[in-house]
């Protein structure tokens, strides 16, 4: 048995009431279950339909995401999340580079690296080198004035943790940012690269080894081993090429508003919904959402 999830952007709430009913009837599915009016509905089918790609494309035109996954085991016990452009709306290194006067150059490298056009390790080393001489205090300025939490992130982390899941923030960015973001969102742990400074000034270097694609896979493997779980128990989410390994290994790997090269290789793509889509994919209704970390 498979579950079909239909999800709209919460701000649009344009999932028409007749749409789930019509697709369910077309595919011989069960009566649709509404998880949130105008935003999310689901129904069950016995087999993957032949016209899934065409229906998915048609729904994308009207701003609706569709995901089909096995009905069993949808609720995950681990959340593994990227930070930049996933749990927050920005790329931290691009914001630092703007203060350093090299914003456009670094942003171009970031975009190419996240789309898989450049080696992540080399791209990070090059970008960090351009930050040499920047006052370390700029990091706090960026956190205070430029970093915004992505929509639905608080609900995602708090709801999964309230139901016993372990939440880990695993970023190719920097601990100076993951420390703050993990604390704000209630993650159980965080991993990222360490920006090196000397006398309150960034040196233009990062501590080695660089945390990139392989390190994110390693984090998934170590966390699941620690709790006696398997990759099937993990929901991983990210948007860049360095996230692909964990996205492809996880039981539910979600490419969220991802770069084209990443979305093309992910089984689950969310192009319109926000981070609450990851809760709807697990069968949580809007009424089940927890809006604050109960452990905080």
């Amino acid at each position: 048995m498979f579950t079909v999830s239909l999800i709209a952007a919460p701000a649009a709430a344009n999932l028409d009431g007749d749409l789930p009913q019509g697709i369910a009837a077309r595919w011989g599915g069960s009566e649709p279950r509404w998880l949130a009016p105008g935003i999310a509905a689901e129904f069950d089918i016995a087999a993957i339909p032949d016209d899934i790609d065409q229906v998915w494309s048609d729904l994308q035109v009207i701003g609706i995401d569709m995901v089909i996954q096995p009905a069993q085991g949808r609720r995950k016990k681990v959340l593994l999340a990227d930070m930049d452009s996933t749990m927050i709306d920005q790329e931290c290194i691009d914001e630092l580079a703007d203060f350093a006067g090299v914003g456009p150059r670094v942003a171009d490298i970031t975009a190419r690296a996240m789309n898989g056009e450049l080696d992540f390790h080399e791209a990070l080393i090059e970008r960090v080198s351009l930050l040499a001489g920047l006052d370390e205090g700029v990091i706090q300025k960026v956190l205070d004035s430029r970093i915004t939490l992505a929509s639905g992130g608080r609900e995602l982390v708090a709801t999964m943790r309230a139901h016993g899941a372990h939440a880990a923030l695993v970023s190719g960015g920097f601990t100076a940012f993951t420390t703050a973001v993990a604390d704000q969102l209630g993650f159980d742990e965080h991993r990222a690269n360490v920006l090196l400074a000397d006398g309150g000034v960034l040196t233009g270097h990062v501590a080695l080894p660089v945390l990139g694609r392989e390190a994110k896979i390693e984090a998934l493997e170590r966390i699941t081993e620690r709790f006696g779980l398997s990759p099937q128990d993990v929901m991983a989410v990210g948007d860049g090429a360095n996230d692909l390994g964990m996205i492809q290994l996880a039981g539910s790997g979600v490419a969220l508003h991802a770069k084209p090269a990443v979305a093309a290789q992910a089984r689950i793509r969310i192009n319109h919904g926000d981070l609450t889509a990851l809760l709807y994919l697990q069968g949580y209704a809007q009424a089940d959402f927890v809006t604050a970390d109960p452990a905080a």
Side-chain angles (χ1 to χ4, degrees), residues 116-194:
E117 299 170 26
L118 299 174
D119 175 80
F120 179 82
H121 179 113
E122 294 176 359
L124 183 67
I125 296 298
E126 180 180 359
R127 286 176 291 164
V128 170
S129 72
L130 296 172
L131 302 179
L134 187 65
D135 189 312
E136 192 175 15
V138 169
I139 293 172
Q140 192 59 50
K141 290 182 180 179
V142 170
L143 278 166
D144 292 341
S145 65
R146 297 198 177 191
I147 301 304
T148 55
L149 301 177
S151 177
R154 289 187 186 277
E155 291 85 353
L156 171 62
V157 176
T159 302
M160 288 190 67
R161 291 192 69 217
H163 287 81
H166 182 83
L169 186 65
V170 184
S171 172
F174 310 115
T175 54
F177 292 95
T178 59
T179 299
V181 172
D183 181 63
Q184 289 181 62
L185 291 174
F187 278 91
D188 293 292
E189 63 176 284
H190 66 96
R191 304 181 185 195
N193 293 298
V194 178

Side-chain angles (χ1 to χ4, degrees), residues 14-253:
N14 62 329
L15 183 57
D16 183 86
D18 294 332
L19 189 59
Q21 194 82 42
I23 299 176
R26 175 174 177 168
W27 288 344
S30 66
E31 183 69 20
R33 302 179 291 274
W34 281 93
L35 304 178
I39 300 173
E42 64 179 26
F43 59 87
D44 300 319
I45 55 176
I48 300 293
D50 293 333
D51 59 348
I52 176 176
D53 290 337
Q54 183 59 56
V55 173
W56 182 87
S57 295
D58 292 344
L59 290 172
Q60 286 292 294
V61 172
I62 60 173
I64 305 295
D65 291 311
M66 180 181 73
V67 176
I68 300 180
Q69 56 185 327
Q72 294 299 315
R74 283 194 295 151
R75 291 206 173 178
K76 302 305 180 184
K77 299 175 182 178
V78 174
L79 171 65
L80 201 63
D82 173 46
M83 180 179 68
D84 295 86
S85 297
T86 299
M87 298 307 299
I88 62 175
D89 296 317
Q90 295 77 25
E91 293 283 340
C92 291
I93 194 166
D94 292 358
E95 301 302 325
L96 290 175
D98 191 43
F99 273 94
V102 289
R105 182 175 175 186
V106 167
D108 177 65
I109 298 172
T110 298
R112 292 166 63 199
M114 291 302 98
N115 200 43
E117 299 170 26
L118 299 174
D119 175 80
F120 179 82
H121 179 113
E122 294 176 359
L124 183 67
I125 296 298
E126 180 180 359
R127 286 176 291 164
V128 170
S129 72
L130 296 172
L131 302 179
L134 187 65
D135 189 312
E136 192 175 15
V138 169
I139 293 172
Q140 192 59 50
K141 290 182 180 179
V142 170
L143 278 166
D144 292 341
S145 65
R146 297 198 177 191
I147 301 304
T148 55
L149 301 177
S151 177
R154 289 187 186 277
E155 291 85 353
L156 171 62
V157 176
T159 302
M160 288 190 67
R161 291 192 69 217
H163 287 81
H166 182 83
L169 186 65
V170 184
S171 172
F174 310 115
T175 54
F177 292 95
T178 59
T179 299
V181 172
D183 181 63
Q184 289 181 62
L185 291 174
F187 278 91
D188 293 292
E189 63 176 284
H190 66 96
R191 304 181 185 195
N193 293 298
V194 178
L195 271 177
L196 299 179
D198 184 20
V201 175
L202 298 184
T203 64
H205 298 286
V206 63
L208 299 176
V210 167
L211 191 156
R213 176 175 173 147
E214 294 307 315
K216 293 193 177 195
I217 295 173
E218 182 182 356
L220 185 154
E221 293 172 340
R222 288 191 176 183
I223 290 170
T224 52
E225 182 180 5
R226 187 198 314 165
F227 292 105
L229 303 171
S230 77
Q232 268 307 117
D233 297 308
V234 177
M235 171 160 280
V237 59
D239 73 302
N242 62 324
D243 299 314
L244 257 178
M246 69 174 186
I247 287 174
Q248 293 175 330
L249 182 60
S252 291

